[in-house]
Amino acid sequence: MRQLRGIYSSPAPHWVGDGFPVRSMLSHAVQGEHVSPFLHLDHAGPAAFAPAERPRGVGVHPHRGFETVTIVYQGEVEHRDSTGAGGVIGPGDVQWMTAASGILHEEFHSQDFTRRGGTLDMVQLWVNLPAKHKDAEPGYQTLLDRDIPAVTLPGEAGRLRVIAGDYQGHRGPARSFTPITLWDLQLKQGKSVSLDLPEGHMAGLALLRGIVRVNGAASAHAGQFVLLDREGGAISLAAESDASVLLLGGEPIAEPVAMRGPFVMNTAEELNQAFADFRAGRFGAIPA
């Protein structure tokens, strides 16, 4: 079994815009190259919002050099970007946005969710791009819940949704620039499961709800991120309560990371160019 490298507790929550109270569970600034190809992971909620007239969220802002992956568990999020793409994602849906050479986008609670209020629970993951793909065309994938394979785990241990990668022949619909595994796990109390990832790939677990014992070595609680070695075989999970876990795996990108604000490049010079391009209006505009 893979050895645990560490269990990291989230710092105090903070707000992103006025619509997303988040706790940062994974950060390149903390775990460095050990979490490559991933850069950042925020868990927003669960948080209750009263009905309102104006949608809460984050206004127009830029990105370059990476991808964002948004998974909604409760509530609804509406997206628009400078490629002309957009739409509403609700429970079980996933939005995979490729910023690459540069994109502008905005994220708000949907109009319907704003009017009726309710609980928002979602995750946003940042995925790095190799240098050779940072100048690719920006793009957008809507992955609806009905199109994401859902598999019952052995021994009725729970359910696994394959967002990206492969689980026992079930292939996730997400297209990625580097090999990535992204599994959404709902585990039942008192049950155990063993999972395999490719050797040499990063392996991590974001505990969104509940308590899980990992490889018989330590228990992780909601709000904690578990980092494991890249080698060593299977990962064993024993649910000490009903639990929601996001499993991350991926082929590391062995390149320097220069990261500042909404841009992720390889050098400081490239970061300066990204800011200059944004200020010059080269990221386009969001259609009215």
Side-chain angles (χ1 to χ4, degrees):
M1 290 186 180
R2 297 183 188 228
Q3 297 298 306
L4 272 66
R5 293 194 64 91
I7 297 179
Y8 301 86
S9 295
S10 303
H14 63 279
W15 283 86
V16 175
D18 64 356
F20 307 107
V22 307
R23 49 187 179 183
S24 298
M25 301 186 69
L26 172 158
S27 171
H28 179 270
V30 176
Q31 292 95 11
E33 64 179 16
H34 298 296
V35 294
S36 180
F38 305 106
L39 297 162
H40 192 79
L41 174 66
D42 277 345
H43 182 201
F49 288 89
E53 295 182 2
R54 179 186 62 83
R56 305 172 178 92
V58 183
V60 178
H61 58 283
H63 289 301
R64 174 179 279 182
F66 65 103
E67 303 182 283
T68 66
V69 181
T70 304
I71 305 168
V72 174
Y73 292 94
Q74 295 183 79
E76 289 182 343
V77 177
E78 188 164 355
H79 163 95
R80 294 196 310 146
D81 67 43
S82 53
T83 72
V88 175
I89 56 172
D93 298 338
V94 178
Q95 166 193 290
W96 197 296
M97 187 188 77
T98 302
S101 60
I103 201 168
L104 300 177
H105 80 140
E106 62 180 26
E107 301 163 286
F108 285 94
H109 299 178
S110 74
Q111 295 285 345
D112 285 346
F113 180 78
T114 298
R115 282 192 292 268
R116 67 175 183 267
T119 298
L120 179 72
D121 188 9
M122 56 170 273
V123 163
Q124 187 169 94
L125 173 68
W126 289 15
V127 184
N128 199 10
L129 290 172
K132 64 182 179 181
H133 295 307
K134 286 188 183 290
D135 63 352
E137 287 293 317
Y140 180 82
Q141 303 171 63
T142 299
L143 312 175
L144 299 178
D145 181 42
R146 64 174 179 264
D147 299 322
I148 298 172
V151 183
T152 299
L153 294 168
E156 301 293 326
R159 188 178 77 141
L160 183 155
R161 293 198 313 146
V162 190
I163 297 169
D166 179 274
Y167 176 75
Q168 296 187 352
H170 300 273
R171 187 77 188 168
R175 303 183 305 275
S176 61
F177 285 82
T178 56
I180 285 174
T181 298
L182 189 58
W183 295 341
D184 175 23
L185 296 158
Q186 305 300 319
L187 303 177
K188 294 181 181 179
Q189 182 177 7
K191 300 288 187 176
S192 299
V193 65
S194 181
L195 301 168
D196 288 301
L197 291 176
E199 290 292 290
H201 279 209
M202 174 272 176
L205 306 163
L207 271 291
L208 307 180
R209 177 174 59 89
I211 307 171
V212 173
R213 191 160 186 83
V214 183
N215 288 351
S219 294
H221 300 246
Q224 293 185 317
F225 179 76
V226 181
L227 181 62
L228 298 107
D229 280 345
R230 294 176 182 170
E231 309 282 350
I235 301 168
S236 172
L237 304 179
E240 298 180 2
S241 70
D242 288 350
S244 176
V245 181
L246 191 63
L247 183 147
L248 288 67
E251 183 175 87
I253 300 172
E255 296 174 355
V257 173
M259 184 174 178
R260 187 164 79 243
F263 304 131
V264 182
M265 305 304 292
N266 295 102
T267 67
E269 290 76 15
E270 290 170 344
L271 277 180
N272 292 336
Q273 186 62 54
F275 279 99
D277 289 344
F278 168 60
R279 288 192 293 267
R282 299 190 183 106
F283 284 32
I286 296 178

